[in-house]
Amino acid sequence: MPSALWCPSGAARAIYGQAATESVKRVCVEGRFELETGGHLEGLEVAYEEWGHREAERVVLLFPAFSTSSHASSTVSDPTAGWWEGFVGPRKAICTNTYRVICPANVGSPFGSSSPLSACAASGAPLACDFP
């Protein structure tokens, strides 16, 4: 059974179409991660951003379209407007004074989660066409 852990902290990595930023966090799943459609990944990494208080009783899990990143709204460390800037934040439709909001980047997309751009554990080269 794979186990999840926070990825080692360190310098922020650039994500396709975005500059490196500390607002993107990562969680890693060690070991073999079986995919529903067949195939597997040796380790899975999911990039995400979050807003609101970690102690909030309610959490909104916001999934982006495949062609967008996890950057739904601006943060202190990344003031760039997100794709749902008008909806996520204090006193907005998804109020970060009330809710903790988490938005993961889709696996397979070029926005920081495991994808064809990820390095192969054995060779260090991008997985490219070998991505399951």
Side-chain angles (χ1 to χ4, degrees), residues 17-108:
Q18 294 178 260
T21 174
E22 293 298 326
S23 68
V24 177
K25 298 169 182 71
R26 291 176 170 70
V27 64
C28 297
V29 178
E30 290 185 326
R32 186 179 177 107
F33 188 85
E34 297 290 337
L35 299 170
E36 215 172 283
T37 57
H40 70 277
L41 291 169
E42 288 300 332
L44 172 69
E45 187 171 332
V46 177
Y48 67 96
E49 288 188 58
E50 61 184 336
W51 303 264
H53 301 284
R54 287 183 178 238
E55 298 81 30
E57 291 183 21
R58 299 179 194 152
V59 176
V60 174
L61 189 55
L62 182 62
F63 287 98
F66 193 73
S67 61
T68 59
S69 70
S70 59
H71 191 65
S73 189
S74 58
T75 62
V76 172
S77 61
D78 185 357
T80 307
W83 47 267
W84 247 23
E85 191 70 32
F87 294 97
V88 177
R91 297 177 304 282
K92 294 181 181 177
I94 302 176
C95 181
T96 54
N97 293 335
T98 304
Y99 303 105
R100 178 179 180 197
V101 180
I102 301 171
C103 184
N106 291 311
V107 172

Side-chain angles (χ1 to χ4, degrees), residues 13-19 67 69 109-112 115 117:
R13 292 189 324 208
I15 296 173
Y16 180 80
Q18 294 178 260
S67 61
S69 70
S109 75
F111 298 107
S115 75
L117 299 174

